[in-house]
Every structure is written in structure tokens, then in C-alpha cells.
Amino acid sequence: MKFLDQAKIYVKSGDGGDGVVAFRREKYIEFGGPDGGKGGRGGDIVFVAASNLNTLIDFRYTQHFRARKGGNGAGSDRTGAAAAPVVIQVPIGTQIFDEDRETMLADLDEPGKRIVLCHGGDGGHGNAHYKTSTNRAPRRADKGWPGEERWIWLRLKLIADVGLLGLPNAGKSTFLSVVSAARPKIADYPFTTLHPQLGVVRLSVSEEFVIADIPGLIAGAHEGAGLGDRFLGHVERCAVLLHLIDGAAGDVVKAWRTIRHELEAYDPGLAAKPEIIALNKIDAMTPQQISSRRRALEKASGAKVVTLSGVTRQGLDDVLRLLQDEVTAIREAERDEAPPAATQWPEPTP
């Protein structure tokens, strides 16, 4: 399945049904009066977050969504039928933006979350609505109200607990394939990863977290170099960032500063997230190189640096335990800060 995280679509809710002009004509009733009914309501455009989707690829082939018009009114004061809503399923984590790509209209970040983006038009009144004591036989009926229409952008931001960052060939895909059941493409050339990958890490029966691997960043990514920084949106929802640095490449401090600069240029809020720095590929370095490059990183970043090897699995267990503890602590703090849910009172018994 191809991965697509942005799509532009057109949506239009249904127009309201028309009201009608009608009069009651019945034997032995001289003055039946007006009885034209109003039109039915047009269909809504509804977006729902579905847990069984993980890409927006369907919107590459279907880009226009229109709801049906409401039914017209009829005699005997009958209201037209309301049109059914058009329900559009999107992956969890999808954000809906206006055509300017800046105004966010909705954020579907929970399974089953629904939003009515375009409301259907109301039905027009029939002539029975305009009957008064002075106007006993109105011949006025209204057209239905038009529905809403707009072009919108859908942007998918994956829901993950840990975000993998690093330069190309830092060992991110190898790390993901070793600690989870994900099978990303792995090769000895840069930009092997062309779209985000997700993997689930299970430490025990009750402990697990989701890792998101995004394409590598290079200097100038915020200006469009390489694959750009667009994929950084997929780690915005993460609780903690795991910054993998290729220790065998040489200047580890420069590599760390390059990624930090791109994070700051993209979003200072993302750069402020908790970060765990990991010196990778220690199987390709001597003990003296590991020690010196680790000290250089700790001096430049002011944080503790962990070491690991995705190939030999050296240090992986300690890194995964550290990630699990960080994710658990941050998610518990977020739950404590969240406002209490509204009390659901039982329905009154008739």
C-alpha cells in the first residue's frame, strides 16, 4: 500500500429541499386551506477517524464528495425526506485545514472522533407556513437553502510515542526493524526511507509503545534540501524524540547540531520535546572512539548520551527501557493535566 500524508479534496453538503404550494381539496370541505409542506434537510459532510486506516491514498483517486439534496415537500403538509449524510473515513491523526493550508478546521486525533464539516441546507417553507388570519390562501413557497461547499486540505500526522530522528544512514531503519516487527527498507545508501514507518515495541505484557521512523534530514532541509522537513509533522505528537547519531561517521557533534538546527527552524515547540541522544553503530568503533565521541556529544548537548548497536543489539535493552519510562511518565503527566470528562447522566425513564 502506498503512503500519502497530504491530499486536497472538494466537499459540498446537500441543498435543502424546496417547499411547495398546495391546497387541501377534499369533498364537502369548502375552504380546505393551504397545506404545502416544507422541504427536507440536505445531507451533511461528516469526517470520522477510523482505526483501520493509516494513509490518505484513497483521496488520490476520489477527490470530490457531494451530499444529496433534501426531498421536496408535498401536499397534506408533508415534509420532504432528509438526505443521508456522506461519511468520510480518515486515519487517526488527520488534521483538516482550509484551502489556505493554515487555518485548522478539525483535528481527528482519537478513534471514532467525528466532525460535521459542512452542514446540509435547511428545507424551504411550503405555503402552509405562511398562513395567517389575514392571508388565508398564501401562494408563496421557498426554495431550499444551499449547502456549504469548500476545498480543504487533509494532513496526516501519525500517532506515535517515540520519534526517530537522524541524518541519512544513521541506522534508524535498522533500529526499527530490530526492536519491532516492522520491515522497512534497509540499504547502504542515503534516503532509503522515503516515507514514515511505524513499529510497535513490546517490552512486556503491559508495556508497549509506538515508534515512528521518518526520512533522514540534512542541512537545509527546512529550505527544501533533500526530502525537506515536511515529514517532521509525523513526530509532532510524540512524547519523546530518539536522536540516533552515526558514531562511525566521524564528526558526531556536527551531526547533532545539524538536526537540532532543522528542528528549531521547523518548530521550536518540537525542538523543546524531551530528547534522548543515542550514539549508534558502536560495533564499528574502538572503545577509545566510543568514549571520546560520547564525551564530545555530552559536552555539546549538556545531556547524557547512551550507546547502542542495532546490528549486534548491544545496549538496545537499556535504551528501550529508558524510552518506556520516559513515555510512561509523560503520558501520565498529560492525563493528570487533562480536564475531567463530563459526567454521563443516565437517560430518564419515560
Side-chain angles (χ1 to χ4, degrees):
M1 178 183 294
K2 293 185 178 181
F3 182 84
L4 186 69
D5 61 354
Q6 285 190 359
K8 185 179 182 181
I9 64 173
Y10 170 84
V11 291
K12 183 183 185 306
S13 59
D15 299 336
D18 301 334
V20 298
V21 174
F23 292 90
R24 182 182 180 188
R25 291 179 172 85
E26 194 172 337
K27 193 174 183 180
Y28 304 123
I29 297 179
E30 298 182 64
F31 304 102
D35 65 352
K38 66 177 296 184
R41 184 179 178 85
D44 298 330
I45 299 292
V46 182
F47 284 85
V48 180
S51 57
N52 61 337
L53 298 176
N54 57 11
T55 176
L56 299 174
I57 190 64
D58 292 340
F59 298 101
R60 173 171 290 180
Y61 311 107
T62 305
Q63 300 172 347
H64 296 79
F65 297 87
R66 296 180 176 88
R68 297 180 65 88
K69 176 184 175 182
N72 295 333
S76 300
D77 207 12
R78 288 176 291 177
T79 301
V86 172
V87 179
I88 304 173
Q89 292 189 336
V90 294
I92 301 172
T94 300
Q95 294 179 334
I96 304 175
F97 289 87
D98 204 356
E99 192 174 7
D100 59 8
R101 305 183 72 169
E102 296 180 357
T103 306
M104 185 187 296
L105 304 176
D107 188 1
L108 303 176
D109 56 352
E110 296 177 0
K113 190 172 182 179
R114 300 170 64 93
I115 179 70
V116 180
L117 189 66
C118 296
H119 293 271
D122 292 328
H125 291 299
N127 66 336
H129 175 80
Y130 296 102
K131 179 178 63 176
T132 65
S133 59
T134 56
N135 187 6
R136 306 304 296 261
R139 285 173 169 76
R140 172 185 173 182
D142 298 337
K143 290 283 190 181
W145 288 86
E148 303 173 358
E149 60 180 324
R150 64 199 319 166
W151 283 93
I152 58 173
W153 279 92
L154 303 179
R155 183 179 182 187
L156 175 60
K157 292 184 178 180
L158 298 176
I159 305 294
D161 300 305
V162 177
L164 276 180
L165 299 176
L167 293 173
N169 277 1
K172 301 185 297 299
S173 296
T174 300
F175 178 86
L176 183 66
S177 67
V178 171
V179 302
S180 72
R183 292 294 174 262
K185 183 179 180 180
I186 300 173
D188 59 352
Y189 53 84
F191 298 113
T192 308
T193 302
L194 298 178
H195 56 78
Q197 299 277 351
L198 288 180
V200 179
V201 178
R202 290 184 174 88
L203 297 185
S204 65
V205 176
S206 60
E207 292 180 312
E208 69 177 30
F209 58 89
V210 180
I211 295 183
D213 173 25
I214 65 171
L217 300 172
I218 63 174
H222 66 282
E223 298 176 345
L227 295 179
D229 61 358
R230 179 167 66 91
F231 293 109
L232 281 175
H234 293 289
V235 297
E236 287 184 13
R237 302 181 191 269
C238 295
V240 61
L241 303 176
L242 177 60
H243 187 170
L244 290 183
I245 298 176
D246 183 359
D251 195 345
V252 293
V253 174
K254 180 181 178 181
W256 174 78
R257 286 176 175 165
T258 298
I259 298 299
R260 294 300 304 177
H261 175 69
E262 296 304 324
L263 292 180
E264 291 284 354
Y266 176 81
D267 182 6
L270 179 59
K273 284 184 176 291
E275 179 189 33
I276 295 177
I277 304 173
L279 188 63
N280 195 14
K281 302 185 182 180
I282 60 175
D283 59 293
M285 295 184 286
T286 64
Q288 292 78 12
Q289 290 175 328
I290 295 174
S291 177
S292 62
R293 292 171 185 177
R294 181 177 183 176
R295 286 197 304 269
L297 269 178
E298 289 179 340
K299 182 178 179 181
S301 63
K304 183 180 178 181
V305 176
V306 298
T307 59
L308 62 93
S309 171
V311 175
T312 64
R313 301 183 65 92
Q314 184 179 351
L316 277 184
D317 293 338
D318 295 336
V319 173
L320 295 180
R321 171 49 56 187
L322 181 60
L323 289 173
Q324 180 67 70
D325 293 343
E326 285 283 341
V327 169
T328 301
I330 293 174
R331 295 308 189 200
E332 288 180 352
E334 291 176 351
R335 284 194 293 268
D336 293 340
E337 295 175 0
T343 303
Q344 297 293 327
W345 299 102
E347 293 288 337
T349 304

